Every structure is written in C-alpha cells, then in structure tokens.
C-alpha cells in the first residue's frame, strides 16, 4: 500500500494517479495526553489504521493526485538518522572535490558513524525547498529512506527488516561548508520525504533498488541501493547499537555519486524503484 499525507493533514491511500481520502481512519488512533510517547502516532498505530483504511476504501472520496499538496508521510519522527558516505563512488567524488570535502579527511561510515538532522527540517514534495544561503553551494542528495515501524534497540541484523514500516524517497539537502553535517543539513526544508510511504511488503529487498535524480530534466544521479556500503539491515543494527529507534523514525541511507548544486527556480525530480517518483521546486529563502 501507498499511504500519503496531503493538504491539511489528510490521510490518503494512493491508487494509481488518484488518492483516496481515508482520513476517517485516523479516528482509530488513541487520544494522547501530554506527554506524548516518543515517535509518530500514525506509525505507532499503523496496523489499526491500515485495517480501518481497508474498510473505508470502497466508499472513500477520490481525488487526482496531481490536485493535492503532498506533505511528508511521517509528521513527527523523533529522529532523522543519516548515513554519511555510504556509496563508494560518492566517497571517491567527495575525496576529489573540495566543494564537498571542505578540508575534511573523508574516511568511512565505520569511522564517522551516523548523524542526525533536526526534525524541523522535514517537508514533503508539495512544499518548496527554500535555500537559506544562496551564496553557498547547496546540493541535492537522493537517498532511500527507511521508516521504522516498531521501537527498536540492539537489533540483530537477521531481525532488522521486521522493524521496518515502509520506505520513501529522501532528499538530504545539504549546504556545503566546514560546519558539522548535522548543522549544515538541518536548515528548514532541507529534509524532503515522499511522495508517500510504501509499506514494507511491497519492497521485498530494499538493497536492490534503482534510484535516480534529475535537475530541470538533466540527469544527475543514478545508482542502485545494492551499492550501499552498509545495507539497510546493517544500518538498523548499527543505529540501534547506540540508541533506540521509535516508530516513525526515518533513516536516510546515504547518497550515491552525482551530487551537485541547485539554485532557486530549479525543479528536482527523483525516483526509486518500487516506491515511485516525486517532483519538488527549489525556491529562494523566505527572506530572499
Ligand atoms: Mn546524505
């Protein structure tokens, strides 16, 4: 199934080029007093919501997908976990290009570990990416995004995929510079998730998916997730060696080669096999 959040926090079931409005399924989520448990309530209650979605589907109002504004399918992740340098060809280009490396010695994911992006940076493809520092190089990075379904701590590799709720396309937008990645990549609108969540059952092997990105129709990135240095299972195992993942936490699994700058007015299109494709606009800063 393909589930999306659209317009004013409506819940949608994607059916070809249409979206069925199944927002009534959100009634199956518990009312939660303060403090809310960590994580995203929709993902934590996913099985109940899906059961209700199935009941609602035959009578659900139908809209054209092209007529709705797609938001990030996860509204409230407690963490956006990111894999740095997780494709060898991207490691190689980072070593060659000081516009990426900025004097840092490029090492390995085993040396650097994972980093976090602020959850306030998260948007869906229906909102524009707002470039905060137009004088800097601001790069696109297309990545497979893994959405965690269940509380996960010290997960063994063999069990890792059982903790996955689904997958989406992630754009890890990046202001290049000397600051720590978690700072440079946490700018408002610099984490794009969408166009919808594809449930785990539709992606039997997340480690063999073609992924690609174009800017204004020009091919920039094309690879396959089989080229990841740490695959999805290893990333879940690695992350949960250090901290607990909560329902709705998102893992951006790293970008292949071909990263490059965008500017206001550009249109980014990105796709991943079995998930779909998204289109998003690049705009100036709110102040700009
Ligand atoms: Mn990245």
């Amino acid at each position: 199934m393909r589930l999306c959040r659209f317009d004013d926090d409506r819940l949608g079931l994607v059916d070809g080029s249409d979206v069925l409005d199944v927002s009534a399924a959100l009634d199956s989520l518990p009312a939660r007093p303060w403090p809310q448990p960590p994580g995203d309530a929709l993902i934590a209650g996913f099985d109940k919501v899906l059961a209700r979605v199935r009941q609602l589907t035959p009578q659900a109002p139908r809209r054209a997908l092209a007529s709705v504004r797609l938001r990030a399918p996860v509204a409230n992740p407690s963490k956006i976990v990111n894999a740095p340098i997780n494709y060898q060809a991207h490691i190689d280009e980072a070593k060659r290009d000081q516009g990426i490396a900025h004097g840092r010695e490029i090492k390995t994911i085993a040396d650097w570990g994972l980093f976090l992006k602020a959850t306030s940076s998260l948007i869906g493809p229906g909102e524009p990416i707002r470039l905060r520092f137009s004088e800097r190089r601001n790069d696109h990075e297309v990545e497979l995004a893994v959405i965690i379904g269940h509380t996960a701590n010290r997960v063994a590799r063999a069990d890792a995929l059982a903790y996955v709720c689904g997958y989406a396309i992630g754009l890890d937008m990046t202001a290049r510079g000397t600051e720590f990645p978690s700072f440079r990549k946490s700018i408002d609108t610099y984490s794009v998730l969408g166009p919808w969540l594809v449930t785990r059952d539709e992606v039997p092997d997340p480690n063999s998916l073609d992924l690609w990105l174009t800017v204004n129709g020009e091919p920039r990135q094309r690879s396959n997730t089989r080229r990841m240095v740490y695959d999805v299972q290893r990333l879940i195992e690695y992350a949960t060696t250090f901290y607990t993942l909560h329902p709705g936490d998102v893992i951006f699994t790293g970008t292949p080669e071909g990263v490059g700058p965008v500017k206001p007015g550009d249109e980014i299109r990105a796709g991943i096999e079995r998930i779909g494709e998204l289109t998003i606009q690049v705009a100036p800063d709110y102040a700009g």
Side-chain angles (χ1 to χ4, degrees):
M1 293 174 96
R2 298 177 166 197
L3 285 173
C4 68
R5 179 166 64 116
F6 68 98
D7 293 348
D8 189 14
D9 295 320
R10 313 295 298 169
L11 182 68
L13 175 68
V14 178
D15 179 25
S17 57
D18 290 344
V19 58
L20 304 177
D21 189 333
V22 289
S23 302
L26 298 171
D27 295 347
S28 57
L29 297 178
R32 289 200 157 127
W34 179 90
Q36 302 201 346
D40 183 272
L42 171 68
I43 305 299
F46 202 71
D47 290 344
K48 277 187 178 169
V49 171
L50 273 200
R52 189 84 181 97
V53 165
R54 290 194 184 94
Q55 292 174 345
L56 291 164
T57 297
Q59 286 86 35
R62 185 175 285 267
R63 308 253 315 263
L65 255 178
S67 71
V68 305
R69 192 160 158 260
L70 290 168
R71 318 276 308 275
V74 182
N76 300 111
S78 79
K79 291 188 286 301
I80 303 173
V81 178
N82 289 258
I85 51 175
N86 201 26
Y87 286 76
Q88 186 58 47
H90 175 59
I91 297 170
D92 295 341
E93 76 179 348
K95 286 179 173 171
R96 284 194 306 269
D97 184 351
Q98 279 304 310
I100 299 174
H102 277 272
R104 285 176 305 168
E105 183 189 353
I106 303 297
K107 294 192 155 186
T108 68
I109 187 169
D111 292 312
W112 280 2
L114 306 174
F115 67 94
L116 298 178
K117 296 182 77 167
T119 55
S120 49
S121 65
L122 187 64
I123 61 167
E127 304 156 76
I129 297 162
R130 301 257 177 198
L131 298 188
R132 177 80 62 133
F133 299 105
S134 55
E135 76 283 8
R136 283 201 188 188
R137 179 172 156 182
N138 288 275
D139 279 9
H140 55 76
E141 298 189 350
V142 63
E143 313 197 357
L144 173 68
V146 179
I147 297 159
I148 295 296
H150 303 283
T151 303
N153 188 19
R154 296 190 177 93
V155 172
R157 173 184 177 82
D159 303 326
L161 293 185
Y163 289 87
V164 173
C165 175
Y167 302 92
I169 301 168
L171 298 183
D172 173 21
M173 300 303 298
T174 302
R176 300 293 175 198
T178 57
E179 302 91 342
F180 287 130
S182 62
F183 194 47
R184 292 183 283 110
K185 292 167 172 268
S186 284
I187 296 168
D188 292 355
T189 76
Y190 275 43
S191 299
V192 181
L193 190 70
W196 39 68
L197 179 158
V198 176
T199 50
R200 182 184 70 201
D201 56 292
E202 296 200 10
V203 184
D205 182 6
N207 304 310
S208 68
L209 302 174
D210 286 330
L211 72 173
W212 56 268
L213 180 144
T214 67
V215 178
N216 304 327
E218 175 195 330
R220 293 276 188 93
Q221 296 188 269
R222 177 170 289 279
S223 189
N224 186 287
T225 56
R226 83 172 66 91
R227 301 198 181 100
M228 291 190 292
V229 177
Y230 280 10
D231 66 9
V232 169
Q233 291 93 323
R234 174 62 184 141
L235 288 170
I236 292 169
E237 178 183 59
Y238 191 37
T240 62
T241 301
F242 281 73
Y243 42 57
T244 299
L245 296 174
H246 296 289
D249 281 2
V250 182
I251 302 177
F252 278 45
T253 57
T255 196
E257 71 276 18
V259 303
V262 293
K263 58 183 188 314
D266 284 348
E267 180 179 89
I268 298 174
R269 292 184 72 186
I272 301 183
E273 187 181 358
R274 291 183 181 274
I275 296 174
E277 62 179 70
L278 63 78
T279 303
I280 188 165
Q281 308 301 318
V282 180
D285 191 10
Y286 294 103

